Amino acid sequence: MARKRSLVIVGNGMATCRFLDEFVARDAQEMYDITVVGDEPAGAYNRVMLGKVLKGAEPDAVITKPRAWYAERGIRLVAPARADRIDVAERRVVLNDAEALHYDIAILATGSQPIMPGIDGVHNDSGEPKEGVFVYRTINDCLSIRQYARPGDNAVVLGGGLLGLEAAKALSDRGLHVTVIHLGHGLMNTQLDFVGGEMLRRQMERCGMFVRVGRTLERVLGDERVQGVVLNDGEHLAADLVVMACGIRPRVDVARNSKIPINKGILVNDTLATQVPGIYAIGECTEHAGVTYGLVAPAWEQATVLAGLLTGAQPQARYRGSKLYARLKVAGVEVASFGVLEPTLDTDRAIQVIEERDFAYRKLILRGRQLIGAMFVGQVGSAASLVQTFDRGDPLPEDPLEALCNIVAGGADSRERTICNCFKVSEATIVACVKEGADSVEAVTEQTRACSGCGSCKTDVARLVQLNAKEKLAASA
Ligand SMILES: Cc1cc2nc3c(=O)[nH]c(=O)nc-3n(C[C@H](O)[C@H](O)[C@H](O)COP(=O)(O)OP(=O)(O)OC[C@H]3O[C@@H](n4cnc5c(N)ncnc54)[C@H](O)[C@@H]3O)c2cc1C
């Protein structure tokens, strides 16, 4: 029998979690002794669902791989433990307690870290974030915020992107008075144009939060702990806590300490290899073809390619970059976006449907009959088919509004569309599953894994379950 090689993975987040699933499914334990080093105390968890923990759920609600999962599969989990560097010459991953783990192959999956802006008053005299200043990235961050925040407190969230809005909604649901401060002119301006951001702002305000756009924090007040903030237009706001949600940057410290080439992220090629033989990288810590990513789908695509390569199951697999399709539930509001946000040529056209009363918004950007971008706020029913039209470069109907309004599932074409983007589950698979007896979203999830990634396809799956369970009932009556 061939000698087993040792594989050490640094980081036990969402990229590693998917890598292990794909790796184990290809019988990797017969080829490798696998060790995972994670600096968070628990097993792997679904970071995308952290809002639940911030709202009050127990951490178990988001843990996807408890410690027993590793033990049962013969995988060694070293956690909590931080890797400091890789001794490339000796092929050892060196931990901060000086333990060193030999590797034949090492994978860096160290994710990102929140950016802590250098705003006056954010830090105390010892250079630590002042009491009441938080970031929102880990289970521990959520537990710390929960412990500190009391109903009726004033919370300021800096950043009106996905994370800021999620944090704001969770704090508002815990009974705090919440104000979101966002420097851009519209919320979520990476995914939405101004009108889309505006619709989202109104939805947030309807839920009881306050939003100030085009503004930022100039100073955090209070000697020992947060006692207020001053905005850049001089306005003072009462604040007991401030959540910083103003962006992330790849965690490259281990790579830097090991002289593995980095730019914004750890540089990888199409095989996810770094420039140092035997060392690979996946997830938000990487930079591929000049791009770093901040969503889970690219991390999972990279994990799948690398598992295929390292087991020899798909030796030709290559990662060519990810097309970004953001389908998110932001503070309870469904948002989807892909491609460009605005027409880029004089001849491009934009079609917008604005539902003032519901603060819902849909927009298509067309080049001839080609779809080059789209966004949806509140009304995302047609997003799943349109993203496929976009991916395949199919022409839109003569009247593009027909495509925008094609919300109800059904029809030969729609069966091919991907409903769960995280696990690539098609409408046809879900319909077949329901027809064979799965009569709830949970039952479909158990069989197909749909909804168990970012969870944003839950509404679509629920609609398919309802529609097809009814059809099945009618047929058997
Ligand atoms: C609150 C929140 C909501 C989100 N919502 C969405 C969403 O709706 N949709 C979406 O697509 N994406 C969302 N994301 C982004 C998504 O979570 C990330 O894209 C994904 O987690 C990236 O996976 P990763 O493995 O690269 O990084 P991570 O999941 O961050 O995992 C990296 C792990 O490595 C550990 N680590 C780092 N350095 C070391 C070291 N030296 N030694 C040991 N361990 C180390 C880190 O502590 C961490 O546990 C959200 C993120 C957050 C924080």
Side-chain angles (χ1 to χ4, degrees), residues 22-38:
E22 302 289 341
F23 211 42
V24 166
R26 292 168 176 82
D27 298 326
Q29 295 105 310
E30 287 172 17
M31 295 171 238
Y32 293 97
D33 286 321
I34 307 168
T35 304
V36 180
V37 182

Side-chain angles (χ1 to χ4, degrees), residues 1-7 9 17-36 65 67-77 104 307 310-313:
M1 201 173 127
R3 180 182 64 89
K4 278 199 195 181
R5 293 189 294 167
S6 35
L7 177 99
I9 307 176
C17 185
R18 181 65 177 261
F19 175 82
L20 290 174
D21 283 339
E22 302 289 341
F23 211 42
V24 166
R26 292 168 176 82
D27 298 326
Q29 295 105 310
E30 287 172 17
M31 295 171 238
Y32 293 97
D33 286 321
I34 307 168
T35 304
V36 180
K65 287 190 181 6
R67 281 178 180 273
W69 185 94
Y70 302 81
E72 282 157 14
R73 286 157 187 81
I75 297 171
R76 181 175 174 220
L77 173 64
D104 295 303
L310 294 184
T311 50

Side-chain angles (χ1 to χ4, degrees), residues 207-385:
C207 293
M209 287 157 271
F210 295 87
V211 180
R212 311 278 170 92
V213 288
R215 243 92 57 90
T216 187
L217 289 194
E218 194 160 276
R219 199 146 35 100
V220 175
L221 303 172
D223 290 334
E224 288 304 313
R225 58 184 173 80
V226 174
Q227 285 181 322
V229 296
V230 182
L231 307 192
N232 58 341
D233 58 3
E235 186 183 1
H236 280 63
L237 286 181
D240 301 293
L241 63 142
V242 177
V243 178
M244 299 293 180
C246 19
I248 52 170
R249 71 166 63 96
R251 270 182 83 168
V252 295
D253 47 332
V254 178
R256 183 182 290 118
N257 295 345
S258 321
K259 304 214 161 34
I260 297 167
I262 52 176
N263 183 32
K264 279 177 288 176
I266 305 169
L267 295 169
V268 291
N269 69 2
D270 290 6
T271 64
L272 284 322
T274 70
Q275 291 173 29
V276 176
I279 303 181
Y280 294 80
I282 52 174
E284 280 185 357
C285 62
T286 64
E287 176 175 333
H288 173 268
V291 184
T292 56
Y293 295 98
L295 292 173
V296 73
W300 282 358
E301 286 167 26
Q302 294 175 354
T304 307
V305 168
L306 189 58
L309 281 171
L310 294 184
T311 50
Q314 284 89 23
Q316 306 298 330
R318 295 292 179 271
Y319 176 70
R320 305 285 189 207
S322 297
K323 279 199 176 166
L324 281 189
Y325 170 41
R327 171 89 193 261
L328 315 159
K329 202 158 187 173
V330 189
V333 182
E334 294 212 73
V335 172
S337 159
F338 53 84
V340 297
L341 302 187
E342 299 289 355
T344 47
L345 300 179
D346 285 350
T347 46
D348 293 345
R349 286 187 301 151
I351 295 176
Q352 291 160 290
V353 177
I354 301 172
E355 294 170 72
E356 283 281 354
R357 214 185 141 97
D358 297 332
F359 306 139
Y361 179 54
R362 284 171 282 171
K363 175 176 176 181
L364 299 182
I365 301 127
L366 309 172
R367 183 163 297 161
R369 280 178 60 189
Q370 223 65 45
L371 184 61
I372 59 167
M375 69 193 69
F376 307 79
V377 177
Q379 181 55 276
V380 298
S382 51
S385 329

Side-chain angles (χ1 to χ4, degrees), residues 11 13-15 39-40 47 83 110-111 137 163 251 254 284 295-296:
M14 294 192 76
D39 65 357
E40 295 193 67
R47 203 172 297 285
T110 47
R137 177 82 195 173
L163 294 197
R251 270 182 83 168
V254 178
E284 280 185 357
L295 292 173
V296 73

Side-chain angles (χ1 to χ4, degrees), residues 413-434:
D413 269 2
S414 69
R415 295 284 156 97
E416 281 173 34
R417 70 182 168 186
T418 307
I419 296 293
C420 170
N421 230 37
C422 297
F423 292 102
K424 306 286 173 244
V425 187
S426 69
E427 178 170 329
T429 306
I430 294 169
V431 170
C433 185
V434 177

Side-chain angles (χ1 to χ4, degrees), residues 133-150:
V133 174
F134 297 96
V135 292
Y136 177 39
R137 177 82 195 173
T138 63
I139 286 184
N140 274 350
D141 294 334
C142 295
L143 298 179
S144 306
I145 297 173
R146 264 165 59 171
Q147 204 180 8
Y148 194 83
R150 298 155 309 176

Side-chain angles (χ1 to χ4, degrees), residues 158-195:
L158 183 62
L162 165 69
L163 294 197
L165 298 182
E166 280 282 337
K169 176 71 166 49
L171 290 172
S172 173
D173 288 350
R174 289 181 71 83
L176 280 83
H177 178 288
V178 181
T179 308
V180 177
I181 311 290
H182 182 62
L183 186 57
H185 285 286
L187 292 179
M188 283 186 75
N189 48 314
T190 315
Q191 286 90 5
L192 299 175
D193 68 359
F194 175 74
V195 182

